[in-house]
Amino acid sequence: MKTRYLMNKKGYLVALFSLALTACSSVSVSTDYDQEADFSRLNGFNWLPESAVVEKESAYLNNRIMDERITKAIDKQLVAQGFNFASTADFYINYSITAEKKTDIRTYDNYSGYGPSWGWGVGYGHRGMSLSAHTETRIDEYQQGSLIIDVIDPKSLELIWRGIGSKRLPESTDAAEMDKLVADVVKSILVKFPPKVK
């Protein structure tokens, strides 16, 4: 991450607090689905066969360890929601991942406190206290990652549901923290499946 600071020490603390809030932010989720599909009949699932898989794309998460982590998280979440892994599936699952470089520019009015001041009126002088303030700017570059989970009809191989979860990616983390991050993103997406069709 490349970060440039234009601020004093107090403003630095403000920026650190803002960064902590961003890191703990929730997953942004969007979904779409085929309104003609009958989701009530879906029970057994399996992964999209390799012959039909489009190569996964990612500038950030394209590795075998991450692939296994995401696959296991999706399996676990679907089973927790009452679906069963089956050789003859009612629907196929597939996922893809992307990463996009983002820039966050924030400007703060930093009030540094009260101090003595002098002022003059018409014919009178007075003393008092004034509040001093100045503007601070933080420029923060980071990676925004998106996990896309697809539900596919096994007969037509047509997409019938898609969920996308996006979150700011950490610069570095250990395996246990990454397990939790992936599980949180997967759950945030799949709790919206199947869609609540009116």
Side-chain angles (χ1 to χ4, degrees), residues 126-150:
H126 67 274
R127 289 187 301 178
M129 301 294 287
S130 66
L131 183 64
S132 60
H134 60 279
T135 300
E136 300 157 353
T137 299
R138 174 188 172 85
I139 302 174
D140 189 17
E141 295 179 354
Y142 63 95
Q143 291 282 341
Q144 180 84 4
S146 295
L147 172 63
I148 304 163
I149 300 178
D150 290 335

Side-chain angles (χ1 to χ4, degrees), residues 44-93:
F45 73 93
N46 207 323
W47 285 87
L48 184 67
E50 288 296 326
S51 59
V53 172
V54 177
E55 184 179 358
K56 300 178 181 69
E57 295 180 357
S58 175
Y60 181 82
L61 302 175
N62 189 14
N63 62 68
R64 181 189 59 79
I65 296 173
M66 184 58 71
D67 178 64
E68 291 183 359
R69 179 179 283 122
I70 294 173
T71 300
K72 289 178 180 178
I74 292 174
D75 285 344
K76 184 177 180 180
Q77 183 61 37
L78 285 173
V79 170
Q81 291 180 206
F83 298 101
N84 301 309
F85 192 85
S87 55
T88 303
D90 299 317
F91 64 96
Y92 286 145
I93 288 288

Side-chain angles (χ1 to χ4, degrees), residues 107-123:
T107 300
Y108 305 90
D109 288 328
N110 183 39
Y111 297 94
S112 58
Y114 287 92
S117 66
W118 280 90
W120 290 92
V122 179

Side-chain angles (χ1 to χ4, degrees), residues 30 47 57 70 74 93-98 145-151 159 161-166 185 189:
S30 62
W47 285 87
E57 295 180 357
I70 294 173
I74 292 174
I93 288 288
N94 192 36
Y95 82 86
S96 56
I97 42 184
T98 63
S146 295
L147 172 63
I148 304 163
I149 300 178
D150 290 335
V151 173
L159 180 69
W161 185 89
R162 168 169 283 180
I164 303 173
S166 299
V185 174
I189 298 170

